[in-house]
Each structure stands twice: as C-alpha cells, then as structure tokens.
Amino acid sequence: MIADASDAESMLTMAQSSRVVISCAGPYSRYGEAAVVACIAGKAHYVDIAGEIPWVSRMISEHDNDARRAGVCLLPLSGYDCVPSEL
C-alpha cells in the first residue's frame, strides 16, 4: 500500500486498512497532521516518534476530542529522544 501525506484519500485508505499506524516520517510539522486526521477518520490508533513539542501540543489541542469520540488513541512522542535503530 502506498499512502502520501499530500493525498488525503490515500491516507484514509491506509488508516482504514490498519488497526495501528506507526508514523516515522517527519518533519511532523510538515507531514504529520495528515496521518493524525486519517487515523481519526479511519478509526486506527496512531503512534509516532515525533520530537517536535509545539506540533504535538497543537495536535492534542486540535484533535484530541475527535480522537476520543472515535475511540482512537493518539500516542505521540513514543520514541522521543531515540532513533528507530535503537528500538
């Protein structure tokens, strides 16, 4: 499956076919919100390795209520201060 952050339909299709989406592509301030929005709409839980605190704060402010209503967990900063090769 190919999903492109600039293509909302592909992001939604990806989220709808997933139970959990792990986002490892940044910068999140540029590419991350598309995955958050798609996960909420597609009812997939969201995990990322973001380290961009202002972006994470904005995502919580703007999307937390919708995520809760959808039964979706948003888990940003899950790999903060480490890199995927350390996991």
Side-chain angles (χ1 to χ4, degrees), residues 8-26:
E9 185 176 329
S10 74
M11 294 297 287
L12 179 58
T13 299
M14 180 241 348
Q16 288 173 328
S17 68
S18 305
R19 291 181 61 181
V20 177
V21 172
I22 302 171
S23 179
C24 300

